[in-house]
Amino acid sequence: QVQLVESGGGLVQAGGSLRLSCAASGRFFVLNAMGWYRQAPGKQRELVATITNGGNTEYADSVKGRFTISRDNAKNTMYLQMNSLKPEDTAVYSCNAQAFGVLYWGRGTQVTVSS
């Protein structure tokens, strides 16, 4: 079992920055790919960014150049640095991680960007 807990969300003005964290705990040796997703009210959940165990990253076009995903394998923690935030970035941000062939999810953290 793997537990994921997100933190770092909040209210920020447009143009501001936030750093989200996703801390993993439980009985596992290594987490494989990890990712951030978001869901805005009335919209489907969408991919924000992913990162492999080796550090390879992918981003949604809407966040390229503004968001940076990273992970600290020693701390079992993944991060999402979000800069130049826009009102359309407002959503619940959730993290996931693959372990033992299973995909685990956190409960999410709210990010609200005011104009």
Side-chain angles (χ1 to χ4, degrees):
Q1 287 287 339
V2 177
Q3 293 80 44
L4 302 175
V5 178
E6 302 94 338
S7 61
L11 174 64
V12 64
Q13 289 187 333
S17 298
L18 284 174
R19 188 194 194 203
L20 305 183
S21 298
C22 172
S25 61
R27 299 182 66 180
F28 58 89
F29 294 106
V30 64
L31 296 173
N32 296 318
M34 300 182 73
W36 287 100
Y37 287 73
R38 66 186 182 186
Q39 186 167 20
K43 295 187 178 181
Q44 291 188 333
R45 185 168 59 192
E46 64 175 357
L47 168 70
V48 176
T50 61
I51 185 167
T52 66
N53 192 320
N56 294 320
T57 60
E58 291 188 359
Y59 296 91
D61 288 342
S62 59
V63 306
K64 282 181 181 177
R66 300 189 297 124
F67 291 10
T68 302
I69 189 172
S70 62
R71 62 190 287 174
D72 184 335
N73 291 332
K75 296 181 178 180
N76 294 318
T77 301
M78 176 179 64
Y79 306 96
L80 185 69
Q81 178 66 44
M82 305 186 294
N83 298 327
S84 302
L85 283 162
K86 304 175 181 179
E88 51 263 43
D89 293 319
T90 295
V92 174
Y93 285 70
S94 302
C95 63
N96 69 15
Q98 293 180 0
F100 312 118
V102 177
L103 188 63
Y104 296 90
W105 288 89
R107 291 189 174 184
T109 184
Q110 176 70 46
V111 171
T112 303
V113 185
S114 63
S115 57

